[in-house]
Amino acid sequence: MFAAVDLGSNSFRLHIGEPLGARMHIVRTARDPLRLAAGLDSNNMLTEAAMRGAVACLHDFRKILDEYHLDAVRVVATNTMRVAKNADQLLPQLEAAIGYPIEIISGEEEGRLIYMGVTRAIERQDERRLVIDIGGGSTEVIAGTGPEIHLVESFGIGTQPQARNYFPDGRITARAFDAAVTAARARFEDAASLYHAQGWDAAYGSSGTMRAISEVIGRNAIGDGTVSQASLHALRDILIELGHVDAFALQGVKRDRVPVMVGGLTVLIGAMQELKVERLHAVNAGLRLGVLSDLELRANRRDRRDAAIRSCMQRFRVDTQRALRTCGIATLLYERLQPQADSQPHYLAWSAMLHEIGLAISMSGSHKHGAYIVEHADLGGFTTREQRLLATLVLGQKGNLRKIREALVEPDLAKAVLALRLAVVLMHARADNDIGSLRLRMKGKIEIDLPPELLARHPTLAPWFEKEECSWNDVGIAFQAK
């Protein structure tokens, strides 16, 4: 049983799901429409009231999570936490309240998870599809075939800024509405040709705002009763005639969600016009179902982060055999160092596979180039925090250790750094098949037993270990190789 918590810009939501064959059975849901994006001031700072509301919500969510025996929990935060300048101040409070780490995911990762959720709900393996998800602060558009994603982009436009900028007092005029649609079209126009090139058999809308619009159109027989451009314009005309969000009394949407729906409608019309989508289908699936599906994949040892690493290696033409050799040595040495927890092996292996990625830029300082690429590349499935960890390991693979001194305070991470550095040395010296008798320990200080016959067969190892001694001693960790 898995749990997904979505800290969205419009609302915070919780899903607890249990896989049943190809389906994910949702056992429990919870929602708090706290409108976090509305708590951003003109400087993109979250107000104290908004932060207090967010913390209180997660305290309540924790009580629900504690009622279940869960195999994995994943908490993701989206656009508002991405743009809030004081997110670093709020994040520790939120993590303390929910009791789990919180991942502020990129817009592209959000789009991938949304697509995974839609794919899980539709199960048409060969269908070419376009998915549009309009959130409180951003809109994700994804094109793919079956489970495979071809194109994913996150656009910085959502329901909250549209409502705030064009309907600040709740009044709805034709002039304001058309200006909002034009602004939305401008966001999508540059990318439109990329999506047209992909093509699709069907288009889907996956957000709560999308489902609210669909519900209003269907229940009130607006236009042709479907989410088509004709129906959206008919809904627009009704809103303009009413003149104010408070006057909206049609079935299908709660009164407090009307401003959100109006802002989302302007984004949807703009997106459908630019992308040339005549009609889409609203589906009750998206980010949370995608997170649950991703947790299930990881539990079944089908981690999509592995695919992201392979794709990155291919993109930068990494020598696969050298990467595999380094990965094998690093993993073996890390096990010999007897780490306290099992949190680092995956990250060590992934960083070893990418340790030479910087050679795509220059041999000189390749570890620095590689660290930058790893931290900033679009790696599906990885959070910003995880990519920073990989970048730290890649940066620390050689050279002085002062640049990652703070990371070495964590014992298992220091062992991972040592394992990768030694693996790089042994791989370069072509001694990776000759380390059966190599013994090493790291408890306060580093002790390495170097058999004389190993140094005799690989004479270049001696100067490498002398450099390692200087590097570790420089950051206050004693290093003894004998």
Side-chain angles (χ1 to χ4, degrees):
M1 193 175 291
F2 307 109
V5 181
D6 166 17
L7 310 186
S9 298
N10 278 331
S11 60
F12 284 9
R13 293 174 179 265
L14 176 152
H15 271 17
I16 295 175
E18 182 178 14
L20 295 176
R23 291 284 182 177
M24 180 69 70
H25 173 60
I26 304 302
V27 176
R28 180 82 175 268
T29 66
R31 173 179 175 268
D32 187 337
L34 52 84
R35 309 279 186 266
L36 189 65
L40 287 170
D41 64 19
S42 58
N43 295 316
N44 274 349
M45 298 285 285
L46 284 165
T47 64
E48 288 294 331
M51 291 194 289
R52 284 197 301 271
V55 171
C57 171
L58 292 197
H59 274 297
D60 293 338
F61 280 5
R62 183 172 188 171
K63 295 175 184 176
I64 296 173
L65 294 174
D66 288 345
E67 295 176 15
Y68 295 85
H69 177 73
L70 300 168
D71 295 284
V73 177
R74 188 176 181 192
V75 188
V76 298
T78 58
N79 185 75
T80 297
M81 289 292 285
R82 288 196 292 266
V83 303
K85 293 181 180 178
N86 54 344
D88 288 345
Q89 173 187 340
L90 175 59
L91 192 61
Q93 300 177 52
L94 294 177
E95 290 183 330
I98 193 72
Y100 294 94
I102 296 173
E103 307 169 8
I104 301 178
I105 57 176
S106 68
E108 291 74 21
E109 174 65 4
E110 183 179 353
R112 279 187 284 265
L113 288 168
I114 288 166
Y115 188 88
M116 285 181 69
V118 172
T119 297
R120 183 66 176 266
I122 295 173
E123 297 179 2
R124 294 173 191 155
Q125 296 301 310
D126 58 349
E127 180 184 65
R128 295 183 306 160
R129 64 179 65 105
L130 181 77
V131 177
I132 301 175
D133 185 285
I134 300 172
S138 65
T139 296
E140 282 66 47
V141 184
I142 315 98
T145 301
E148 184 179 356
I149 295 172
H150 303 311
L151 179 62
V152 55
E153 292 289 344
S154 180
F155 300 88
I157 184 170
T159 62
Q160 293 287 350
Q162 288 290 95
R164 181 175 61 246
N165 294 336
Y166 296 97
F167 316 106
D169 55 1
R171 289 193 310 120
I172 305 172
T173 66
R175 182 175 181 180
F177 201 100
D178 292 344
V181 170
T182 300
R185 292 188 64 173
R187 292 280 188 164
F188 300 106
E189 62 180 349
D190 285 345
S193 60
L194 300 176
Y195 287 95
H196 297 158
Q198 296 296 327
W200 53 84
D201 303 318
Y204 298 90
S206 62
S207 62
T209 296
M210 200 81 70
R211 292 190 292 275
I213 292 172
S214 175
E215 188 77 4
V216 168
I217 289 173
R219 293 182 65 175
N220 297 280
I222 297 173
D224 60 14
T226 69
V227 186
S228 63
Q229 288 204 32
S231 297
L232 296 177
H233 280 89
L235 178 56
R236 164 199 177 275
D237 293 342
I238 291 173
L239 289 166
I240 292 171
E241 184 176 353
L242 291 172
H244 199 281
V245 294
D246 291 342
F248 191 87
L250 297 180
Q251 294 181 342
V253 62
K254 295 180 180 179
R255 186 174 293 274
D256 66 325
R257 286 186 58 83
V258 174
V260 173
M261 186 198 70
V262 174
L265 180 61
T266 66
V267 178
L268 183 55
I269 291 175
M272 290 179 68
Q273 287 180 348
E274 283 301 309
L275 298 173
K276 294 182 171 56
V277 178
E278 286 301 318
R279 179 177 285 99
L280 57 75
H281 311 280
V283 291
N284 189 20
L287 179 59
R288 289 170 301 286
L289 183 55
V291 171
L292 292 173
S293 299
D294 198 34
L295 289 174
E296 183 187 8
L297 285 175
R298 294 186 186 186
N300 293 328
R301 300 183 183 276
R302 290 183 290 153
D303 196 327
R304 64 194 176 98
R305 290 174 294 182
D306 293 327
I309 294 295
R310 291 193 297 270
S311 176
C312 192
M313 291 173 63
Q314 184 177 17
R315 189 187 326 159
F316 290 95
R317 299 182 180 180
V318 170
D319 186 321
T320 303
Q321 293 305 313
R322 285 169 61 87
L324 286 170
R325 284 170 58 199
T326 306
C327 180
I329 307 168
T331 302
L332 176 63
L333 295 180
Y334 186 69
E335 291 174 354
R336 291 182 183 178
L337 286 167
Q338 298 181 339
Q340 297 299 308
D342 61 355
S343 58
Q344 304 298 339
H346 291 301
Y347 300 108
L348 173 60
W350 286 323
S351 63
M353 295 301 290
L354 296 179
H355 83 282
E356 290 190 326
I357 198 171
L359 292 175
I361 297 177
S362 171
M363 182 171 291
S364 176
S366 61
H367 58 303
K368 299 176 183 178
H369 303 312
Y372 182 87
I373 293 172
V374 170
E375 182 173 353
H376 298 283
D378 182 14
L379 297 177
F382 285 95
T383 65
T384 300
R385 188 180 301 181
E386 288 175 326
Q387 289 188 220
R388 285 175 183 162
L389 174 57
L390 295 185
T392 297
L393 288 165
V394 171
L395 181 61
Q397 68 177 284
K398 65 179 181 180
N400 75 72
L401 288 164
R402 293 190 298 275
K403 53 188 179 288
I404 61 165
R405 185 194 297 266
E406 294 181 0
L408 299 176
V409 174
E410 205 281 295
D412 283 354
L413 182 53
K415 290 178 180 178
V417 171
L418 175 62
L420 182 57
R421 289 175 72 92
L422 294 181
V424 170
V425 168
L426 292 165
M427 188 271 294
H428 281 292
R430 299 186 181 280
D432 47 308
N433 292 321
D434 199 14
I435 59 173
S437 57
L438 183 68
R439 298 289 178 266
L440 65 163
R441 294 167 295 281
M442 188 175 184
K443 292 183 178 180
K445 64 178 180 178
I446 299 168
E447 298 177 275
I448 301 178
D449 297 332
L450 289 172
E453 60 272 17
L454 178 65
L455 294 177
R457 286 191 294 268
H458 307 281
T460 59
L461 282 178
W464 275 110
F465 277 101
E466 290 175 5
K467 290 181 181 179
E468 283 302 295
E469 181 178 1
C470 293
S471 296
W472 288 96
N473 289 338
D474 191 34
V475 292
I477 300 177
F479 183 103
Q480 183 179 25
K482 57 181 182 178

